[in-house]
Amino acid sequence: MTTPAGFAENAPDAHPKGLQQAASAVAREGRASGAFCVQALRLKVDERHWLDVSFALPGQTRAFVLLLETHQEALQNQALAQALTARGFGTLTASLLTPEEHTDAEELAWHVNDLGERAATVLEWLEHQPFRGALPLAAVGWRTAAAALIRLAARETQTFYALSCLEGRIDLAGAGPLLALTVPIQLLTSSATDDKPNLAAWPHIGAEKRWEHLPPPTPAGPWPEAIALTCEWFERHLPTTPSSLAAAAG
C-alpha cells in the first residue's frame, strides 16, 4: 500500500515516540517550562519525495510559526527558530528540497511552482496535527521560498497573521499573488541581495508592509538583525495570550 502525501514518520535516528505521543508525554512529565523538539521527521509530499521537517513547542505556546527554506539557509533558519521558541512561539521548520536534491539546490530552488506545491502539503499536514490546535499562525520564507510562501498566503487568506521574507525574491511570486495578499508582510534584504526585481514587485503589495535593508548575514552563522526584526514583527501582529502545551497536544 502506498503512503499518502502528507504522511510523516520519524527517521531511524529520530525521537522514538510518535508526534502526538511525544507532545503528550512532555505535558504529562510536567516540563511545561521548557521546550521540546522532534528532529529528523520526514514528510512525504509525493510518491518519491520526502522532506525534512522539525518542530519545537515551548511550554506556553502563544502562536505558531512555519519556517520554509531551501537548504542553504539551514543554519541561519535554525538560529531564527531557536529565537522564536525562546519568545513563546512554536515552530515548524521545513526544507522544501529533499536531502537528495541538495546537490542541485542552486538550480532547483528556482522552481517556485514545485516549492509552492510542497509548501502547501507542509501546511496541510501542520493544520491536522494535534499540537497545532487553534494557535494563530505566521510564516517565514527564505530567498525563493518566500515567493512560494506569498503564493500560499494569497490563496489561504484566513490562515496567516503575518509573513517575514528573508533575502526574499518576492517578485517570483507573480503580480497576481502580490496584489491578492492581505497579510502584513516584512521583507528583509542585505547587500547580498539583488534588489532590482523586488523594487519592481514591491508596489504591487497593498497589504501592510515593511522593507528593511540590513548588514549581510555571516555565511555559517545567525543573522542577528533579521532575527530581531522577525521576532518583533511577529510579536506585533500575533496575539499574545499563550495556551498550555497540554491543551495544544490534546
Side-chain angles (χ1 to χ4, degrees), residues 20-243:
Q20 185 173 358
Q21 292 89 337
S24 299
V26 171
R28 288 197 305 269
E29 292 169 14
R31 289 184 275 133
S33 60
F36 79 96
C37 299
V38 176
Q39 303 290 344
L41 186 68
R42 290 279 175 93
L43 177 64
K44 187 170 186 179
V45 291
D46 57 39
E47 287 302 316
R48 297 186 301 111
H49 298 107
W50 295 73
L51 302 181
D52 285 337
V53 304
S54 62
F55 74 87
L57 291 175
Q60 293 293 320
T61 306
R62 56 187 289 186
F64 216 89
V65 180
L66 174 63
L67 300 102
L68 302 177
E69 63 182 58
T70 58
H71 171 62
Q72 55 264 60
E73 313 89 7
L75 292 176
Q76 295 165 350
N77 206 23
Q78 182 181 17
L80 174 58
Q82 291 172 348
L84 288 165
T85 302
R87 288 164 173 79
F89 296 101
T91 61
L92 177 71
T93 301
S95 174
L96 297 181
L97 297 180
T98 70
E100 295 76 20
E101 293 170 335
H102 288 172
T103 56
D104 299 318
E106 289 296 330
E107 175 187 351
L108 296 176
W110 294 91
H111 297 186
V112 176
N113 286 339
D114 293 338
L115 298 183
E117 291 177 2
R118 292 177 177 185
T121 299
V122 172
L123 176 62
E124 181 182 8
W125 177 82
L126 173 62
E127 294 291 74
H128 288 86
Q129 301 313 304
F131 59 79
R132 166 73 174 91
L135 295 172
L137 181 65
V140 172
W142 288 83
R143 295 182 173 83
T144 56
L149 174 60
I150 290 171
R151 291 184 180 183
L152 185 61
R155 294 197 309 269
E156 303 288 340
T157 57
Q158 303 300 315
T159 299
F160 298 101
Y161 279 72
L163 309 179
S164 185
C165 300
L166 283 64
E167 297 279 32
R169 282 294 304 270
I170 65 170
D171 60 296
L172 297 176
L178 291 170
L179 289 166
L181 196 64
T182 59
V183 182
I185 181 171
Q186 172 180 252
L187 175 62
L188 304 178
T189 62
S190 72
S191 58
T193 310
D194 179 4
D195 280 338
K196 291 181 181 178
N198 285 334
L199 284 170
W202 191 247
H204 292 297
I205 300 176
E208 179 186 347
K209 57 187 178 181
R210 178 172 75 177
W211 187 353
E212 297 284 349
H213 300 271
L214 306 175
T218 57
W223 192 7
E225 297 86 359
I227 289 175
L229 287 174
T230 296
C231 291
E232 182 273 332
W233 186 251
F234 291 157
E235 286 173 342
R236 181 195 305 180
H237 290 96
L238 287 161
T240 57
T241 303
S243 61

